[in-house]
Amino acid sequence: MTAFTSCNPANGEVVFTRPAWPEDKLADAVARLKRAQHPWARLSVAQRAERLLKLADALTAERVALADLVTLEVGKLTAECLAEIDKSVQLIRYYAELAPGLLAAKTIPTQASHSGVAFEPLGLVLAVMPWNYPIWQVLRFAVPALMAGNACLVKPAPSVPQSTQKLLDIVASANLAVLDAAWIEHDQVEDAIKAADAVAFTGSTNTGRVIASLAGRHLKKTVLELGGSNPFIVLADADIETAAREACHSRFRDAGQSCNAAKRMIVVPEIADAFVDAFLAEAGRLIPGDPRHRATTLAPLTRADLREALHAQVLDATANGATLLRGGQMPHGAGFYYPATVLDHVNPACRVYHEEVFGPVASILRARDEADAIRLANDTPFGLGASIYTADTARGWALARDIEAGSVYLNRHTSSDLRLPFGGVKASGYGRELSEFGLYEFVNVKTYWQK
């Protein structure tokens, strides 16, 4: 039986393990949540918001202890973990304020004496969640789903059992019986999907295809937030120093283990060398080390196998024409560290050109001109986000329309904002989270009509 196991990325030591559930326990958990969902759905949206605000207060009270566990299991910098928790609290307060209005029934005039729509819960939503943001990812899906009257069952990633359990303890302290975790093996995921009314998944594109297939087999609504290989386009009139600084932050934050990070730096000839020099200078200022230490600015990777996979991509790139400008050496010693690595002249023969790179490795793609920069940006299976840096904002907005992505940021690196929808196209998935659009993903928009 596969266990849920914590391994400290800073030294490689296993620090905690717990067994998966016996097979019959899933059905009990599903039944318990479905019983709890009915009275939860009968509450007004304002009442549900009031209950969730207690969770926000409880998260705030436990933020330091929770961040310590995320650092221990994921390896992220303590400051990054605290920011993850604080953003989760902001998410709850955002929906608590807006959901009552957004979920209010709407009258739509027709030939009927009365007609309109109501936003009603689907029932039980299953979420299969990743390890890189074990608090934010869970609550990003759960808060709007709960606000809409659903119950939520989370299958956590195998490597974050302590963070997940601490979150569950905080949920329990807020008396929310409609959010729980399923400590199940991978081979029980289909049973969980079959028992649920909808499915949310965040993770790799390959696993997303499996989840979508299983959900399709049982006709369950899905929202998939999958991988990304975001282009970071720097045009000839851009502020080079600012672009390099923000590109470095976006690429190397969270040790490069973010789907929405800048991963492919696409530069036009006029500023290519200047940008590369500035980017290398920024990367050279990063300080790898124990993520609990304040001086550390580059955290280790989360697992040994992820580091091996990343290094294999780097070796493939250098073997196929890319130039290694910095890093690229496998460190010796304890922990899963990998240096900030910069690959120049990345081309279609390299795996990193086509694949998602989940770690502190930046790819430089040199475009022939502005039009070629847009072509390179779109020449990827992914379509999560993109950035364009230019002094000509009108031109930037025009180019943004040609980018195949769920979001385009002008003169800023890609990120997520509670007030704006988040999600992708192509192999980056479908559906949206956050904003009003994320709130409506897990509701039944039910039509009412009276003669």
Side-chain angles (χ1 to χ4, degrees), residues 3-329:
F4 290 80
T5 301
S6 294
C7 185
N8 183 352
N11 57 27
E13 295 178 0
V14 173
V15 294
F16 179 83
T17 187
R18 67 174 292 166
W21 277 349
E23 288 194 4
D24 60 349
K25 198 165 182 180
L26 174 62
D28 294 339
V30 168
R32 183 174 65 253
L33 281 170
K34 287 189 173 183
R35 286 194 301 270
Q37 188 265 332
H38 292 293
W40 176 255
R42 285 194 293 270
L43 295 175
S44 69
V45 181
Q47 288 173 315
R48 293 196 290 266
E50 184 177 350
R51 297 279 296 276
L52 281 164
L53 285 173
K54 294 180 180 178
L55 174 59
D57 292 339
L59 279 169
T60 299
E62 295 284 349
R63 66 190 288 273
V64 173
L66 187 55
D68 286 345
L69 284 175
V70 176
T71 295
L72 177 66
E73 293 188 312
V74 180
K76 292 199 298 184
L77 304 180
T78 298
E80 293 172 338
C81 298
L82 288 169
E84 175 183 348
I85 296 163
D86 292 343
K87 189 173 183 178
S88 300
V89 171
Q90 292 169 6
L91 176 74
I92 297 172
R93 300 194 186 284
Y94 167 81
Y95 277 118
E97 179 181 354
L98 294 185
L102 293 173
L103 292 172
K106 299 184 186 301
T107 298
I108 300 174
T110 66
Q111 70 269 34
S113 63
H114 179 77
S115 55
V117 297
F119 303 98
E120 300 182 0
L122 295 177
L124 176 62
V125 184
L126 171 73
V128 181
M129 293 283 98
W131 48 263
N132 55 340
Y133 298 95
I135 308 305
W136 167 249
Q137 300 281 18
V138 169
L139 294 178
R140 187 176 73 184
F141 120 82
V143 169
L146 292 171
M147 205 70 78
N150 299 288
C152 297
L153 181 62
V154 177
K155 184 205 174 295
S159 60
V160 289
Q162 293 186 96
S163 301
T164 302
Q165 187 59 57
K166 181 66 175 177
L167 177 60
L168 292 178
D169 293 343
I170 295 170
V171 168
S173 74
N175 295 315
L176 285 174
V178 283
L179 172 59
D180 205 353
W183 302 98
I184 58 175
E185 304 271 13
H186 292 316
D187 59 9
Q188 276 197 284
V189 169
E190 183 172 4
D191 293 335
I193 290 173
K194 185 176 180 181
D197 299 294
V199 183
F201 173 74
T202 299
S204 72
T205 298
N206 288 339
T207 304
R209 290 189 176 99
V210 175
I211 295 293
S213 176
L214 295 174
R217 183 179 302 169
H218 300 286
L219 291 178
K220 307 296 182 178
K221 167 73 182 289
T222 54
V223 171
L224 304 181
E225 197 269 283
L226 308 179
S229 188
N230 291 3
F232 188 100
I233 302 168
V234 185
L235 299 181
D237 60 352
D239 182 327
I240 300 303
E241 297 301 322
T242 298
R245 183 171 61 253
E246 295 201 2
C248 183
H249 170 75
S250 181
R251 173 65 288 208
F252 298 115
R253 73 172 189 251
D254 301 314
Q257 297 172 121
S258 171
C259 60
N260 200 31
K263 293 174 182 170
R264 297 177 298 132
M265 316 307 162
I266 300 175
V267 292
V268 294
E270 296 91 331
I271 50 83
D273 290 340
F275 174 84
V276 170
D277 289 344
F279 185 77
L280 285 171
E282 292 290 338
R285 296 187 183 100
L286 294 169
I287 303 171
D290 191 314
R292 296 168 296 182
H293 296 166
R294 286 191 176 187
T296 300
T297 54
L298 182 62
L301 295 178
T302 294
R303 298 197 314 263
D305 62 310
L306 298 174
R307 183 172 69 161
E308 293 288 344
L310 181 72
H311 190 55
Q313 288 176 309
V314 172
L315 293 177
D316 171 84
T318 58
N320 284 285
T323 304
L324 181 65
L325 298 182
R326 191 186 192 285
Q329 304 300 317

